[in-house]
Amino acid sequence: MAKRDKLYEGKAKTIFATDNAHQLIQYFKDDATAYNAQKHEVIMGKGVLNNAISYHIMSALGAAGIKHHLIKKIDHREQLIRKCDIIPVEVVVRNIAAGSMVARLAGKHIPIDLGTCLKTPMVEYYLKEDALKDPLITAEHITGFDLASEDELKQMRLTSLAINRILGDLFNGIGITLVDFKLEFGRPSQRQEDDPLLILADEISPDNCRLWDKATGDIKDKDRFRKSMGGLVEAYQDIANRFGITIAAT
Amino acid sequence: MAKRDKLYEGKAKTIFATDNAHQLIQYFKDDATAYNAQKHEVIMGKGVLNNAISYHIMSALGAAGIKHHLIKKIDHREQLIRKCDIIPVEVVVRNIAAGSMVARLAGKHIPIDLGTCLKTPMVEYYLKEDALKDPLITAEHITGFDLASEDELKQMRLTSLAINRILGDLFNGIGITLVDFKLEFGRPSQRQEDDPLLILADEISPDNCRLWDKATGDIKDKDRFRKSMGGLVEAYQDIANRFGITIAAT
């Protein structure tokens, strides 16, 4: 699979064309950004760990019946993925209040704090647009502004909740609480017989999950970077180790 | 109806107790605020106009079958209203893109601009909490955090869309385009036989509607204050005149 033109450079990954029109290469960089890229660092080894962890998690989701874009891991930095028209909506599923939910909503009417368990998982949608700082949007915005159809939105929501149940069990099995996570979905450029309307795209890694050690409460995700706590690679490596992932020497 | 203790002072209105436990007095001030009260002025005569206009509009909605909190107009500054437990959610109905919708969402994925007609009216919900700058919230936040029940939310939404149709006709009849508006609802402290779960509360005036002259495009609402255009009282007076409202000398 020959790597060809760079199609898109994101904050943590770069997408390349291949000689197959319906397949792309997703390259994991070491860049870490936060607060709409106002904070930026290169953290050696992060990309290798995220590639391995995301491969492990996507494969587990695939085995549980969730259709995703991942075809195979090519090497320590790269995955071969199916080409998709990405829905410009970040789907966030929250089990415990943290991050922007607390900052935006905690107060006299919504008495939550960092760590408050939600009665049921909550799904939120954010417009994927850096220039607008990824604003919260509603289901009505998504369908009313044709970001996705009613059926696509329904599938995104239900699939995200199903993924939450599977991931919750997966992380529970390694002593980790799944606090929240972000997903992206896309319309496959070439539809396969058993494809749903949308398939899971992007990555699932400690870059876009909040993961807390059940025993100690230790933070094992990108909040270590956001909060300048240090020890990010060690935390990601710990997640990889607990999953029994062997990382090949880079 | 004796006016008693001041119960609540808002940005544009003050609420007083009366000697009836289920009735309150709503007093319209001349204060104008914008941008979460960062901008503040006293505009002589605004309160008198809003009291008269809101009374006119609420009465028209009542005649069309919408249950509201208004009992009667007492004088040029005051209304007698039913006491309600106010749902801390501002319901915004939009027919045309303007204001925060454009500021938050207009971009490459949502190609709207000031004045873009929406395909269908959109309902948005904002948490009524100044300290948080009234953030946008979702239907799931409202029910998940117990701000309102599923049934109350459904009624708020459907009633707001019904009000949009009635108000749209009402303003159309005086040569005005109803761009968007904000509503509040409450649970009546004393339930009457024909009460729905929630009744319409607060006010409906040029302070919480966007109103554009159909012929000239002139702004006839609080955006004149937000945008420091001047001529606010003249614009509100024009709305009152077109409705045939006679304002008693203050």
Side-chain angles (χ1 to χ4, degrees):
Chain A
M1 185 58 57
K3 188 157 85 178
R4 297 174 66 170
D5 294 345
K6 185 195 287 189
L7 297 180
Y8 171 78
E9 179 148 8
K11 284 174 282 192
K13 294 188 292 297
T14 306
I15 302 294
F16 296 92
T18 69
D19 48 17
N20 180 323
H22 300 294
Q23 298 185 351
L24 303 172
I25 286 169
Q26 174 165 266
Y27 176 96
F28 287 75
K29 302 194 291 183
D30 282 340
D31 297 64
T33 62
Y35 308 114
N36 203 44
Q38 286 175 4
K39 185 174 164 84
H40 177 230
E41 268 177 50
V42 174
I43 300 177
M44 288 289 285
K46 180 175 83 75
V48 174
L49 284 159
N50 278 349
N51 183 18
I53 294 169
S54 188
Y55 174 78
H56 180 84
I57 292 174
M58 285 263 184
S59 301
L61 289 173
I66 304 292
K67 290 283 283 187
H68 55 67
H69 71 157
L70 182 61
I71 300 168
K72 66 172 184 180
K73 190 159 179 269
I74 297 173
D75 62 21
H76 60 286
R77 293 270 177 194
E78 294 181 356
Q79 298 177 348
L80 188 67
I81 59 172
R82 292 176 63 189
K83 187 174 178 182
C84 288
D85 172 27
I86 298 288
I87 305 287
V89 172
E90 299 187 344
V91 183
V92 171
V93 183
R94 298 179 185 274
N95 298 298
I96 293 175
S100 70
M101 169 174 270
V102 175
R104 291 186 75 252
L105 303 183
K108 69 178 170 176
H109 295 302
I110 301 181
I112 53 171
D113 206 340
L114 175 64
T116 304
C117 285
L118 304 177
K119 283 187 303 180
T120 55
M122 279 194 183
V123 180
E124 292 178 337
Y125 308 105
Y126 293 85
L127 182 66
K128 188 174 154 65
E129 189 157 345
D130 288 343
L132 299 172
K133 301 185 182 178
D134 297 345
L136 178 77
I137 54 175
T138 67
E140 204 160 337
H141 293 143
I142 292 173
T143 55
F145 290 125
D146 297 320
L147 304 178
S149 71
E150 289 278 0
D151 285 344
E152 286 171 336
L153 174 61
K154 188 174 171 189
Q155 191 218 315
M156 278 202 287
R157 181 181 161 75
L158 293 177
T159 305
S160 298
L161 287 169
I163 290 171
N164 185 44
R165 289 187 291 272
I166 301 165
L167 283 189
D169 287 347
L170 203 64
F171 280 109
N172 199 44
I174 60 166
I176 293 285
T177 299
L178 177 64
V179 175
D180 56 37
F181 58 97
K182 184 263 282 184
L183 302 174
E184 293 182 25
F185 292 87
R187 301 176 187 108
S189 66
Q190 188 177 44
R191 194 158 286 282
Q192 293 171 1
E193 207 179 331
D194 57 346
D195 275 345
L197 283 173
L198 302 176
I199 64 174
L200 180 64
D202 195 46
E203 67 177 290
I204 301 182
S205 74
D207 261 18
N208 44 33
C209 300
R210 280 196 175 86
L211 305 170
W212 295 351
D213 185 282
K214 279 187 186 291
T216 64
D218 273 2
I219 292 172
K220 301 287 185 183
D221 59 61
K222 205 173 82 172
D223 270 350
R224 298 199 75 89
F225 169 70
R226 291 188 191 95
K227 299 179 180 190
S228 303
M229 300 166 73
L232 182 131
V233 163
E234 293 75 6
Y236 287 27
Q237 182 70 60
D238 181 34
I239 296 294
N241 292 346
R242 294 193 199 198
F243 277 136
I245 299 169
T246 309
I247 314 271
T250 56
Chain B
M1 187 57 58
K3 189 159 85 178
R4 297 173 66 172
D5 295 346
K6 183 195 285 188
L7 296 180
Y8 171 78
E9 178 148 9
K11 284 174 281 191
K13 294 189 293 296
T14 306
I15 303 294
F16 296 92
T18 69
D19 48 17
N20 180 325
H22 300 294
Q23 298 185 352
L24 302 173
I25 287 171
Q26 173 164 267
Y27 176 96
F28 287 76
K29 302 192 291 182
D30 281 341
D31 297 65
T33 63
Y35 308 116
N36 203 44
Q38 286 176 4
K39 185 174 164 85
H40 178 229
E41 267 177 50
V42 173
I43 301 176
M44 288 290 285
K46 181 176 82 77
V48 173
L49 283 158
N50 279 348
N51 183 16
I53 294 169
S54 188
Y55 174 78
H56 180 85
I57 291 175
M58 285 262 184
S59 301
L61 289 174
I66 305 291
K67 289 282 283 185
H68 55 67
H69 71 155
L70 183 61
I71 299 167
K72 66 172 183 181
K73 189 161 180 268
I74 297 172
D75 64 21
H76 59 286
R77 291 269 178 195
E78 294 181 357
Q79 298 178 347
L80 188 66
I81 59 173
R82 292 177 62 189
K83 187 174 176 183
C84 288
D85 171 28
I86 298 288
I87 305 287
V89 171
E90 300 188 343
V91 183
V92 171
V93 183
R94 299 179 184 273
N95 298 298
I96 293 174
S100 69
M101 171 175 268
V102 175
R104 291 186 75 253
L105 302 183
K108 70 177 170 177
H109 295 302
I110 301 181
I112 53 172
D113 207 341
L114 175 64
T116 303
C117 286
L118 304 178
K119 283 187 303 181
T120 56
M122 278 194 185
V123 180
E124 291 178 338
Y125 308 105
Y126 293 85
L127 182 65
K128 188 172 154 65
E129 189 157 344
D130 288 343
L132 298 172
K133 303 185 180 177
D134 296 345
L136 178 75
I137 54 175
T138 67
E140 203 160 336
H141 293 144
I142 292 174
T143 55
F145 290 124
D146 298 320
L147 303 177
S149 70
E150 289 279 0
D151 285 345
E152 286 172 335
L153 174 62
K154 189 174 170 188
Q155 191 217 315
M156 279 202 288
R157 182 182 161 76
L158 293 176
T159 305
S160 298
L161 287 168
I163 291 171
N164 185 44
R165 289 187 289 272
I166 301 164
L167 283 190
D169 287 347
L170 203 65
F171 281 109
N172 198 44
I174 61 166
I176 293 286
T177 298
L178 178 62
V179 175
D180 56 38
F181 58 97
K182 183 263 282 184
L183 301 174
E184 293 181 25
F185 292 87
R187 302 175 187 110
S189 66
Q190 188 175 46
R191 193 157 286 282
Q192 293 171 1
E193 208 179 332
D194 57 346
D195 275 346
L197 284 174
L198 302 176
I199 64 173
L200 179 64
D202 196 47
E203 68 177 289
I204 301 181
S205 75
D207 261 18
N208 43 34
C209 300
R210 281 195 175 85
L211 305 170
W212 294 351
D213 186 282
K214 280 185 186 292
T216 64
D218 273 2
I219 291 172
K220 301 286 184 183
D221 59 61
K222 205 172 82 172
D223 269 351
R224 298 198 77 87
F225 169 71
R226 292 189 191 95
K227 299 178 179 189
S228 303
M229 299 166 74
L232 182 132
V233 163
E234 293 76 4
Y236 287 28
Q237 182 70 61
D238 181 35
I239 296 294
N241 292 346
R242 294 192 199 198
F243 277 136
I245 298 168
T246 310
I247 314 271
T250 55

